[in-house]
Amino acid sequence: MAQIFNRDVVKITAEAVGFASLKDDIALKIAQDVEYRVRDIIQEATKFMHHSKRTRLTTSDISHALSVRNIEPLYGFSGVEALEFKRASTAHDLFYVADEDLDFQKILTRPLPPVPLDVTFTGHWLAVEGVQPRIPQNPAAEDDSQLTPTSPTGGPLSAAEGTAQETTTDGIKPAESTEVDVRALFKRTLSQEHQLFYQKLTTAVLSDNHELRTTALDTLRTESGFQQLVPYFLRFAQERVSKLLRTVNVAKGVVSLVDAITANRHLVIEPYLHQIMPTILSCVLGKRICGDPTQEDHWTVRQTAAHVVARLCAQYSRTYPTLQPRVSKTLLLSLLDENKCFVTRYGAIVGLASMGSVVVRQLILPNIAGVMAGLKNAGKGTADERKRCRHVLAAVASEVIQEDGITVEEGVERFGREFASLIWPDQVQVEMEVEDPNGVPDSQLDVPVDVAMGASTDVLTQAPQSLAPNTSGENGLNHNVALTSADPQSNQ
């Protein structure tokens, strides 16, 4: 490899600093050492250049490399401009940096430059409704004559396509104008397969064909390739609840749809909780979710919807600590509101019971006297509805009462003789009201305890900290649940 620095360069440099005679072998050794040192510094400086995303080596890179090698940096070479080298007149291979002599007298007599302006800030519109205003602050827009419309395939539009594109979405052609507003339309489109999948499943969920409906729900519960359709299915459920909730088949289909989607472990449901909860709670507490309450089975729909609410609260209680207390508060207020009908109170009882024995112990048992008093209002429902509420209330409370070991005397004192007669019918006797002779007999009331508390009995037993006791009720209510303020993360 040819040397960059030869011994002649070293001798010339030595003569410049006062060494008139330098032996050739010493000059050769010094030249080799200088070349090694220079290569090492340049290699280190190149690293700084690459880290700075540059392709030109600057004096600052050399200064940084010298600092890394613990060498004093060079002074007077920190400018960003390239240095100008001139050839020496005495030596052909000798160059030097041109250093102009400055006359201070000329500098002092030179007129001062203008005072720089103060830094100010001004605001202007970059775009108004997608149209860029033609103002000096904005970049110049392209000439409208150069904007040639193209077809979706990239080629020029035909006459028919151009006419169709000029027509607005309302079917009205815009007025002719010399200026053309070009606005980009961003649409989130679904593939044909996803559209067909959505149409088939929404139709099957509301179908009267049991086999078809079961297949569709199994697909929603197990498939993993329709995450993009989740907001569309939930919006479908919201629309059906808000418009067609008086049909029991619609309510049953909506609850089954939400139950299947939320049970699918392949889908991300957390961002849509603020849409799911109102829809399901409407099916739990709705005043009318069927056309004929006396003939259609809307009780099972309320029980299934209550289990969905309890499962979602248990699943996302760690991420959103206030979700379960807020849902419990909504159900409790519906249970204690004297203006609510019997079917709404039935849904509130089933909803609270589905959250577990801790909720029953802390929210339902302390308010049994008030609930029983509210069930005496004959103007809020039929005798059959009142009877169902009384029996489901006794069914969900009896298990907790047995676990706590409450005696008959304590039950009469705490809950009243009327409710105690439902728990201990053989030991407590009360004067019964005259029942409707056309009503449903007690033996035909379908109020199984496992429906009310079975699937989610230990929901709060596993995480009781979300219902910490609080002796001070809210709005005069006798409930012992810690109801915190709305959490911004809860999407509610």
Side-chain angles (χ1 to χ4, degrees):
M1 180 185 298
Q3 291 185 351
I4 299 176
F5 300 97
N6 53 28
R7 55 188 176 184
D8 295 335
V9 175
V10 174
K11 286 183 177 182
I12 295 173
T13 306
E15 292 177 359
V17 296
F19 294 93
S21 60
L22 191 65
K23 295 182 179 181
D24 293 344
D25 54 346
I26 297 177
L28 182 60
K29 294 294 182 182
I30 293 176
Q32 293 176 355
D33 185 72
V34 169
E35 182 176 353
Y36 168 75
R37 302 295 178 184
V38 172
R39 288 181 182 273
D40 184 53
I41 294 299
I42 293 178
Q43 183 178 2
E44 195 69 30
T46 306
K47 296 179 182 179
F48 287 96
M49 179 188 70
H50 291 161
H51 283 293
S52 301
K53 308 298 183 183
R54 288 184 283 103
T55 58
R56 177 177 293 181
L57 195 66
T58 62
T59 56
S60 60
D61 299 329
I62 302 296
S63 299
H64 293 320
L66 293 174
S67 299
V68 169
R69 295 302 181 188
N70 200 17
I71 303 175
E72 186 176 2
L74 300 177
Y75 299 104
F77 300 96
S78 58
V80 296
E81 297 181 359
L83 299 177
E84 181 182 357
F85 290 90
K86 291 186 177 181
R87 189 186 303 274
S89 58
T90 58
H92 181 72
D93 296 334
L94 183 61
F95 295 85
Y96 68 96
V97 178
D99 192 3
E100 182 182 358
D101 294 335
L102 299 178
D103 188 358
F104 282 101
Q105 188 64 29
K106 293 182 180 180
I107 296 176
L108 293 176
T109 57
R110 185 183 303 171
L112 297 176
V115 179
L117 300 177
D118 294 336
V119 178
T120 58
F121 298 93
T122 58
H124 65 90
W125 291 101
L126 293 176
V128 178
E129 294 185 356
V131 181
Q132 176 180 292
R134 296 184 177 180
I135 56 179
Q137 289 82 359
N138 286 336
E142 298 181 2
D143 188 5
D144 294 340
S145 61
Q146 299 178 359
L147 299 177
T148 304
T150 57
S151 63
T153 58
L157 286 176
S158 61
E161 292 174 339
T163 305
Q165 196 176 63
E166 291 178 358
T167 306
T168 62
T169 55
D170 298 332
I172 303 175
K173 291 186 177 180
E176 295 183 358
S177 175
T178 58
E179 297 183 359
V180 178
D181 296 337
V182 180
R183 300 183 183 182
L185 300 180
F186 299 97
K187 293 184 179 180
R188 184 178 180 181
T189 59
L190 296 174
S191 62
Q192 293 292 336
E193 293 78 7
H194 275 146
Q195 295 182 23
L196 182 62
F197 183 83
Y198 171 80
Q199 295 174 359
K200 293 292 184 181
L201 289 187
T202 52
T203 303
V205 166
L206 301 181
S207 174
D208 295 333
N209 189 336
H210 177 72
E211 183 178 357
L212 181 62
R213 183 171 62 254
T214 303
T215 304
L217 294 177
D218 291 340
T219 302
L220 292 173
R221 192 175 288 107
T222 56
E223 288 294 330
S224 59
F226 63 98
Q227 175 67 47
Q228 189 178 1
L229 293 176
V230 171
Y232 295 93
F233 280 120
L234 297 180
R235 186 177 63 180
F236 169 80
Q238 282 183 318
E239 293 176 352
R240 293 301 180 273
V241 167
S242 60
K243 298 179 181 179
L244 302 173
L245 191 58
R246 290 180 177 267
T247 305
V248 68
N249 289 334
V250 173
K252 186 182 300 182
V254 167
V255 172
S256 302
L257 172 68
V258 176
D259 183 23
I261 291 178
T262 54
N264 192 329
R265 60 184 182 88
H266 302 290
L267 303 178
V268 180
I269 306 298
E270 185 175 341
Y272 311 104
L273 287 177
H274 65 287
Q275 301 177 8
I276 297 175
M277 282 301 180
T279 303
I280 296 300
L281 287 176
S282 299
C283 297
V284 177
L285 304 175
K287 182 179 180 179
R288 292 286 297 275
I289 62 174
C290 63
D292 187 3
T294 60
Q295 300 295 331
E296 297 176 338
D297 183 19
H298 63 95
W299 311 100
T300 305
V301 178
R302 298 179 189 273
Q303 294 169 2
T304 306
H307 283 305
V308 176
V309 172
R311 176 163 51 80
L312 292 176
C313 290
Q315 185 175 355
Y316 298 101
S317 60
R318 292 184 179 273
T319 307
Y320 304 105
T322 62
L323 175 61
Q324 184 163 312
R326 291 168 62 188
V327 173
S328 301
K329 179 181 178 180
T330 301
L331 297 174
L332 183 62
L333 294 178
S334 299
L335 178 62
L336 300 179
D337 191 353
E338 297 180 355
N339 297 323
K340 299 295 183 182
C341 59
F342 292 157
V343 291
T344 299
R345 296 189 179 190
Y346 177 91
I349 295 172
V350 175
L352 291 172
S354 63
M355 294 187 182
S357 58
V358 175
V359 175
V360 175
R361 183 178 292 105
Q362 294 185 356
L363 298 185
I364 294 182
L365 293 187
N367 298 284
I368 283 181
V371 175
M372 294 297 294
L375 293 177
K376 295 181 180 180
N377 189 353
K380 298 301 179 182
T382 63
D384 293 337
E385 295 172 349
R386 179 171 63 251
K387 184 185 298 185
R388 285 184 178 272
C389 291
R390 287 160 53 94
H391 280 263
V392 73
L393 183 63
V396 301
S398 60
E399 184 175 344
V400 178
I401 291 175
Q402 294 177 4
E403 292 178 359
D404 295 346
I406 300 176
T407 62
V408 179
E409 292 76 10
E410 293 175 350
V412 173
E413 182 180 357
R414 289 180 55 182
F415 312 126
R417 180 172 293 274
E418 182 180 1
F419 181 77
S421 65
L422 300 176
I423 304 298
W424 301 280
D426 298 334
Q427 303 179 37
V428 181
Q429 300 294 330
V430 295
E431 183 178 354
M432 303 300 295
E433 299 178 359
V434 177
E435 298 290 348
D436 186 3
N438 297 324
V440 180
D442 294 348
S443 58
Q444 297 182 11
L445 287 178
D446 183 15
V447 190
V449 179
D450 57 344
V451 170
M453 298 182 60
S456 304
T457 301
D458 56 349
V459 169
L460 291 183
T461 306
Q462 300 175 359
Q465 63 273 15
S466 60
L467 285 176
N470 183 10
T471 55
S472 60
E474 188 170 313
N475 298 331
L477 301 178
N478 182 19
H479 56 91
N480 299 325
V481 58
L483 299 174
T484 58
S485 60
D487 186 359
Q489 298 179 351
S490 62
N491 292 333
Q492 293 286 347

